[in-house]
Amino acid sequence: MADNLPSEFDVVVIGTGLPESIIAAACARSGQRVLHVDSRSYYGGNWASFSFSGLLSWIKENQQNTDIKDECEDWRKLILENEEVISLNKKDKTIQHVEAFCFGDQDAAEDVEEAGALARVPAFGTSVAEEVAEEPEKECSPLESSVPGAENWESEKALSTEPASAAEGNVTEINSENESSHNTASGESTLELGKTEGTLSEVSAQEPKKITYSQIVREGRRFNIDLVSKLLYSRGLLIELLIKSNVSRYAEFKNATRILAFREGKVEQVPCSRADVFNSRQLAMVEKRMLMKFLTFCLEYEQHPDEYQDYKNSTFAQFLKTRKLTPSLQHFILHSIAMVSENDCNTLEGLQATRKFLQCLGRYGNTPFLFPLYGQGEIPQCFCRMCAVFGGIYCLRHSVQCLVVDKESGRCKAVVDHFGQRISASYFIVEDSYLSESVCVNVCYRQLSRAVLITDQSVLKTDSEQQVSILTVPPVDLGQPAVCVIELCSSTMTCMKDTYLVHLTCPSTKTAREDLEPVVQKLFSLNAETEKETEGEELEKPRVLWAVYFNMRDSSGIDRNSYSGLPSNVYVCSGPDSALGNDCAVKQAETIFQEMFPTEEFCPAPPNPEDIIYDEDEITAEETGFNNSPETKPESSLQESSSRDLW
């Protein structure tokens, strides 16, 4: 494959995470020649989504400490006397302390194969972490190998019984699915918030269906399990970029339906909109008026500086105590609306977070959040597709040995890949995990603690089983971080029917299991046997069927000067951060792009072919096989929901 690659590009991008993919798309859209490579066999890096067997392979890969040998031993012969090299990592070291456990019935799971899988899924005992057998084929990548264009985009997730999120030739409009019936009937939104797998069924009073491990394995391709758990603010930077660049046509989204709170050992729903507040049975009438008054103030707080001026140096939690709010309202606002730390967030930051939450309400549904169908890993792939459409060349399983630096100018001139091919470029984008320890010797990384659970019930059962919920669990001890919990139902296309996929995330203080297992035990049952229930009572807690814990490096917010000996034309992209949204990745991508090409617009919308005027002697786009907008829609602007009450 390397023999077929051109030897010169304008931009070489190493890593296919979200910021790198956005930069690659923006560069290709502005007419730059882009080579986008990744040593992994899947797209997204630490932003990727996996099928169940793909996740088992990923677990095994991150538990092994084997070093990868150079395929080309004589690549150093390509380095000239006036050049030096910056070696790159060949093994990802951003994931640590991976522990996986199976709590469900393991009825001869070793003899069960995933539907459509190419290799037998390994058998698991109680501790999955120690018993992964032979590695099956990776199954999370919709872009199979080196892709010089968009023609080979295949969704490996697509089964005959499942719609594909980015199937070739089928550009999916994003339907806004409000929980209110008005939105479903209108069908006017371009951002299609998610088609459910059928009518929403009522929760029965009976015991939930018993799910075995072999069923999870057999239905493994129904799972799309994210390594990083995030949601999209409906007025956040990523949604605006998806709309502006028309990349939104490559994906589908579902509205997060509930904001939950954990207080006094119980999970309860938080009223969000004006109508929700008045309809709430949890709040007394006096509390409703208090909440309405305070949230209205938060929307216009800049116009009333005298009300918060004296508390600028106080925490937001201390400020809330001065606002004549009941303890339950303070808890709701702090942990479920502002979603900020009780100890580390000052008053202004809390007011800004509350206003952002309120401004995002009502655009696409009754909460401020959207979730991409088939998982967060779809978003980087959407931008990769845009890059490929505009001529970007893609190579997976394609590692880079080193950056070649000119000693005199100090600028990077080229890269040398694992086949020994030297590829020149003007600019180089490198994902942080590829940088060697010598470059990162002065960098102080933070860590994220992550857990992913497969459960048999929702943390809060209601009339509808198909709920996408977000819950913040406050810390038990002072100084400990709050834990963000996102629960996904099967209509998000991330898990099989009758199961839920639960993501837990917090900044690390210890290993992921030590940080998160206490919260898991509060919300779920870890017993293999179903809890006994008294007559007429439902099960108290959902049961965990399978779980994995791991720590992930948080490389966000690192100053460029912290990296040692980095050439001026080499830019570093960070991995996922601890924030709920994706603003950090979008800001970073736009900043880097503007530094490289200050006169170019960042990710403009593709031109409409009907507006392009060709000269008589000019060959049409169809004849050349290239079209700036091969999958155009007559209407690409988002039409927002008007069915919800705004603050």
Side-chain angles (χ1 to χ4, degrees):
M1 183 63 189
D3 295 337
N4 299 327
L5 285 177
S7 60
E8 188 175 342
F9 289 86
D10 296 313
V11 181
V12 172
V13 184
I14 304 172
T16 51
L18 180 57
E20 304 95 89
S21 300
I22 294 174
I23 293 170
C27 291
R29 177 66 185 89
S30 66
Q32 309 301 321
R33 297 168 297 169
V34 177
L35 173 64
H36 201 171
V37 301
D38 200 326
S39 62
R40 304 173 180 91
S41 59
Y42 52 88
Y43 278 71
N46 284 348
W47 303 79
S49 302
F50 292 94
S51 68
F52 188 70
S53 69
L55 186 64
L56 299 186
S57 299
W58 178 87
I59 290 171
K60 179 184 176 184
E61 182 180 318
N62 282 280
Q63 288 173 338
Q64 293 175 338
N65 296 316
T66 54
D67 292 327
I68 302 173
K69 296 182 179 180
D70 292 347
E71 289 188 27
C72 179
E73 299 289 346
D74 57 350
W75 60 269
R76 293 187 181 273
K77 296 177 182 177
L78 301 172
I79 310 303
L80 306 178
E81 289 184 6
N82 64 335
E83 297 173 342
E84 59 185 1
V85 301
I86 299 176
S87 297
L88 299 182
N89 281 338
K90 298 174 183 62
K91 181 173 174 59
D92 185 2
K93 299 178 181 178
T94 61
I95 305 297
Q96 296 177 326
H97 310 300
V98 183
E99 300 178 80
F101 303 92
C102 181
F103 299 97
D105 293 336
Q106 301 169 55
D107 49 348
E110 65 274 7
D111 297 326
V112 180
E113 293 186 7
E114 180 182 86
L118 300 177
R120 188 172 69 84
V121 174
F124 274 69
T126 302
S127 175
V128 180
E130 300 175 356
E131 300 184 22
V132 180
E134 295 183 5
E135 180 177 356
E137 291 282 328
K138 294 276 183 180
E139 300 195 25
C140 62
S141 167
L143 296 176
E144 270 303 305
S145 58
S146 307
V147 186
E151 297 81 16
N152 293 331
W153 263 73
E154 298 175 352
S155 178
E156 193 169 355
K157 304 181 193 76
L159 290 170
S160 59
T161 55
E162 296 180 28
S165 63
E168 175 60 29
N170 280 331
V171 183
T172 317
E173 261 190 21
I174 306 177
N175 267 327
S176 175
E177 181 197 53
N178 245 332
E179 291 309 308
S180 60
S181 59
H182 150 269
N183 230 30
T184 309
S186 69
E188 293 175 350
S189 174
T190 306
L191 193 51
E192 194 170 324
L193 301 179
K195 309 162 183 171
T196 61
E197 290 182 336
T199 42
L200 304 178
S201 57
E202 295 185 357
V203 175
S204 99
Q206 298 177 356
E207 188 175 315
K209 290 184 180 179
K210 195 170 184 179
I211 305 295
T212 63
Y213 180 69
S214 62
Q215 287 177 281
I216 294 174
V217 172
R218 190 179 298 111
E219 298 289 330
R221 290 172 70 87
R222 300 272 182 191
F223 289 89
N224 288 296
I225 303 171
D226 294 326
L227 294 184
V228 60
S229 178
K230 288 183 177 291
L231 295 173
L232 284 72
Y233 280 91
S234 64
R235 295 187 191 275
L237 295 180
L238 184 54
I239 285 291
E240 299 301 341
L241 181 61
L242 287 167
I243 298 167
K244 172 189 171 185
S245 62
N246 209 17
V247 172
S248 59
R249 59 187 172 164
Y250 296 135
E252 299 174 84
F253 296 83
K254 182 176 176 63
N255 182 221
T257 55
R258 300 187 299 188
I259 309 293
L260 305 179
F262 185 78
R263 186 167 178 267
E264 297 177 351
K266 294 182 179 179
V267 177
E268 49 190 346
Q269 188 164 344
V270 177
C272 294
S273 70
R274 192 183 296 267
D276 290 341
V277 171
F278 280 113
N279 292 330
S280 173
R281 296 181 181 179
Q282 304 163 244
L283 305 177
M285 185 56 68
V286 176
E287 287 182 308
K288 293 178 181 180
R289 289 173 181 166
M290 288 179 182
L291 183 60
M292 292 282 293
K293 183 177 179 180
F294 179 75
L295 295 180
T296 303
F297 158 72
C298 288
L299 273 176
E300 305 168 346
Y301 76 90
E302 290 177 331
Q303 300 174 22
H304 307 282
D306 52 304
E307 297 199 33
Y308 63 87
Q309 206 75 308
D310 296 337
Y311 303 97
K312 276 189 173 181
N313 298 324
S314 304
T315 65
F316 189 50
Q318 291 169 337
F319 174 70
L320 291 176
K321 292 177 182 177
T322 68
R323 301 297 300 184
K324 299 180 181 179
L325 298 167
T326 63
S328 61
L329 290 181
Q330 293 177 37
H331 182 94
F332 287 165
I333 294 167
L334 187 68
H335 296 293
S336 301
I337 295 178
M339 298 183 187
V340 293
S341 168
E342 190 169 348
N343 302 311
D344 301 330
C345 176
N346 63 40
T347 299
L348 274 179
E349 291 171 341
L351 290 172
Q352 290 166 359
T354 305
R355 182 174 66 176
K356 180 179 181 180
F357 181 98
L358 297 173
Q359 288 176 334
C360 291
L361 281 173
R363 189 178 192 186
Y364 299 116
N366 62 332
T367 74
F369 304 110
L370 302 178
F371 180 79
L373 297 191
Y374 303 97
Q376 174 75 28
E378 289 295 294
I379 303 301
Q381 294 175 30
C382 290
F383 284 99
C384 288
R385 184 171 193 176
M386 176 181 174
C387 178
V389 165
F390 285 96
I393 294 179
Y394 278 83
C395 297
L396 290 181
R397 306 177 188 88
H398 199 102
S399 60
V400 175
Q401 301 282 0
C402 66
L403 304 174
V404 181
V405 181
D406 182 75
K407 289 181 180 179
E408 185 178 343
S409 66
R411 289 177 65 85
C412 185
K413 298 170 61 178
V415 295
V416 177
D417 68 11
H418 64 163
F419 290 117
Q421 182 180 3
R422 179 171 169 143
I423 301 170
S424 301
S426 301
Y427 299 98
F428 302 84
I429 314 298
V430 184
E431 201 267 314
D432 176 89
S433 65
Y434 285 90
L435 297 177
S436 63
E437 292 180 6
S438 61
V439 175
C440 303
V441 66
N442 297 320
V443 177
C444 184
Y445 291 113
R446 299 180 298 276
Q447 297 286 326
L448 299 177
S449 290
R450 290 276 294 116
V452 182
L453 317 176
I454 300 174
T455 66
D456 64 346
Q457 294 182 77
S458 173
V459 290
L460 182 63
K461 290 190 285 186
T462 59
D463 292 340
S464 172
E465 293 177 351
Q466 299 301 316
Q467 300 278 4
V468 178
S469 310
I470 176 170
L471 165 68
T472 302
V473 180
V476 176
D477 302 318
L478 288 175
Q480 295 292 313
V483 176
C484 177
V485 181
I486 296 177
E487 183 185 70
L488 305 173
C489 59
S490 59
S491 65
T492 61
M493 307 301 178
T494 59
C495 57
M496 62 181 280
K497 189 178 179 183
D498 298 321
T499 65
Y500 291 83
L501 194 64
V502 182
H503 292 272
L504 295 90
T505 309
C506 74
S508 298
T509 58
K510 304 174 184 176
T511 68
R513 186 180 174 192
E514 290 172 320
D515 282 338
L516 299 174
E517 195 169 54
V519 175
V520 172
Q521 290 172 343
K522 283 181 184 179
L523 298 173
F524 304 96
S525 167
L526 299 179
N527 297 328
E529 295 296 326
T530 305
E531 292 181 356
K532 293 183 179 180
E533 55 179 333
T534 56
E535 188 175 345
E537 290 184 355
E538 295 181 345
L539 295 176
E540 290 186 3
K541 294 180 180 179
R543 192 162 64 97
V544 177
L545 306 173
W546 187 87
V548 62
Y549 299 89
F550 58 91
N551 290 93
M552 176 185 289
R553 179 192 293 176
D554 178 0
S555 55
S556 63
I558 294 174
D559 187 80
R560 177 186 174 85
N561 296 325
S562 299
Y563 297 103
S564 302
L566 201 65
S568 60
N569 61 334
V570 175
Y571 299 90
V572 180
C573 288
S574 62
D577 63 337
S578 60
L580 179 62
N582 299 273
D583 285 3
C584 179
V586 178
K587 286 178 182 177
Q588 184 179 51
E590 184 169 8
T591 300
I592 291 174
F593 177 82
Q594 294 296 352
E595 286 184 19
M596 294 190 295
F597 308 107
T599 61
E600 296 288 344
E601 184 181 357
F602 179 64
C603 283
N608 190 329
E610 296 176 1
D611 297 333
I612 300 175
I613 301 174
Y614 298 103
D615 294 333
E616 290 183 7
D617 298 332
E618 188 174 305
I619 301 175
T620 63
E622 288 80 5
E623 291 171 339
T624 61
F626 180 84
N627 189 336
N628 279 340
S629 184
E631 300 182 55
T632 54
K633 291 268 176 200
E635 305 241 345
S636 59
S637 62
L638 271 156
Q639 297 187 15
E640 302 171 9
S641 166
S642 60
S643 63
R644 304 298 300 182
D645 295 280
L646 298 177
W647 287 95

